[in-house]
Amino acid sequence: MTDDSPNSAAKSPPPITRAEARADEAAAIRRRWITLGEVLTVIAVTISGLTLWNSWSQRSETEAGKNADARRASTKAAILTLVAARTNEDELVLKPASPEQSVQSQSIAFPSALALAAAETTGEPRIEARWFENALKKARSRARLPDSSRGDEKLPVLVTTRFLADGKLREELAIYDIGYSIAGRWLGGHSITLRGVSLVARTRKSAGKSLLDARWKAVLAQAAI
């Protein structure tokens, strides 16, 4: 039996109008767009963060590389190696192997057995035969070495060099062998011809002189064989 009373009609939900349906659908669409916008915002922020991190990482790597290069350049600049720029019979003109270094002054010390004062130079690095020629001849005579040589004789010296590198004044001590030959001349004595220089070892002030004298003894012993 159907209840057709007025109270029964009041209990039923009112019908949804077409306008309300469209409004609900529009609201749902807006909610979907808001959600999509939030997702896109999160993605954009994440990408931006990753981009910033990548940029910072690249800058850090670049700066680290530059700092490493600067340290290597500074270390290289602090190491001096002398070579003969020009060789005459009685003089060796020296220069740094690196063009970035500039020699300011030098002190060339000889083995104690030669009883010679150190030779000093300023602004023009060089080794002159006259500094040690007579003393070397006497030392060779005492050691009973031949009057003439094959041209590969050695005289060790201790070279203290003050030089500019990387804008800084530096100092280095090293043992070098002076290459020379000696030849006898009738009624003319003996003449010494300089050949070049060769690095033996870098050293410190406290050990330089003893290392030099030990090197000289070794050279004499070898030459006497």
Side-chain angles (χ1 to χ4, degrees):
M1 181 174 179
T2 306
D3 188 2
D4 294 332
S5 65
N7 293 335
S8 176
K11 293 178 182 180
S12 300
I16 300 174
T17 65
R18 186 174 297 177
E20 291 174 335
R22 286 198 297 269
D24 290 342
E25 184 179 356
I29 292 174
R30 285 197 299 271
R31 284 194 297 271
R32 287 197 297 271
W33 275 110
I34 291 172
T35 303
L36 180 59
E38 291 174 347
V39 171
L40 292 176
T41 299
V42 171
I43 293 174
V45 170
T46 302
I47 293 174
S48 178
L50 290 174
T51 302
L52 289 174
W53 180 86
N54 186 56
S55 178
W56 175 85
S57 178
Q58 289 180 345
R59 286 198 303 269
S60 298
E61 291 178 358
T62 300
E63 291 176 1
K66 289 181 179 179
N67 291 336
D69 290 342
R71 286 193 298 270
R72 284 193 292 268
S74 180
T75 300
K76 182 179 179 181
I79 300 175
L80 174 73
T81 301
L82 296 170
V83 297
R86 189 172 69 252
T87 303
N88 300 322
E89 288 189 359
D90 57 355
E91 182 182 57
L92 298 175
V93 178
L94 306 178
K95 70 173 185 178
S98 172
E100 298 174 356
Q101 299 166 334
S102 175
V103 173
Q104 303 301 295
S105 62
Q106 283 187 317
S107 175
I108 296 93
F110 303 95
S112 300
L114 271 61
L116 291 170
E120 305 286 341
T121 67
T122 300
E124 185 184 356
R126 66 193 186 280
I127 294 174
E128 299 180 20
R130 64 182 181 88
W131 294 343
F132 57 85
E133 187 172 12
N134 291 333
L136 178 58
K137 292 176 183 178
K138 292 177 183 179
R140 289 181 60 89
S141 178
R142 290 193 299 269
R144 297 184 178 181
L145 296 181
D147 289 339
S148 297
S149 69
R150 298 187 302 273
D152 55 359
E153 304 298 320
K154 301 173 184 176
L155 170 64
V157 292
L158 174 63
V159 182
T160 302
T161 306
R162 287 162 291 279
F163 64 101
L164 283 174
D166 196 24
K168 297 178 181 179
L169 183 62
R170 305 173 186 270
E171 182 176 272
E172 184 177 88
L173 280 75
I175 304 294
Y176 282 83
D177 279 341
I178 299 174
Y180 71 93
S181 63
I182 184 168
R185 294 179 181 174
W186 185 63
L187 296 180
H190 297 81
S191 64
I192 287 179
T193 300
L194 303 184
R195 300 297 187 186
V197 293
S198 176
L199 176 65
V200 176
R202 295 181 172 86
T203 184
R204 303 183 305 273
K205 285 185 178 180
S206 58
K209 197 64 176 178
S210 59
L211 183 62
L212 173 62
D213 290 340
R215 175 67 178 171
W216 173 239
K217 290 179 182 179
V219 167
L220 285 181
Q222 184 179 11
I225 295 175

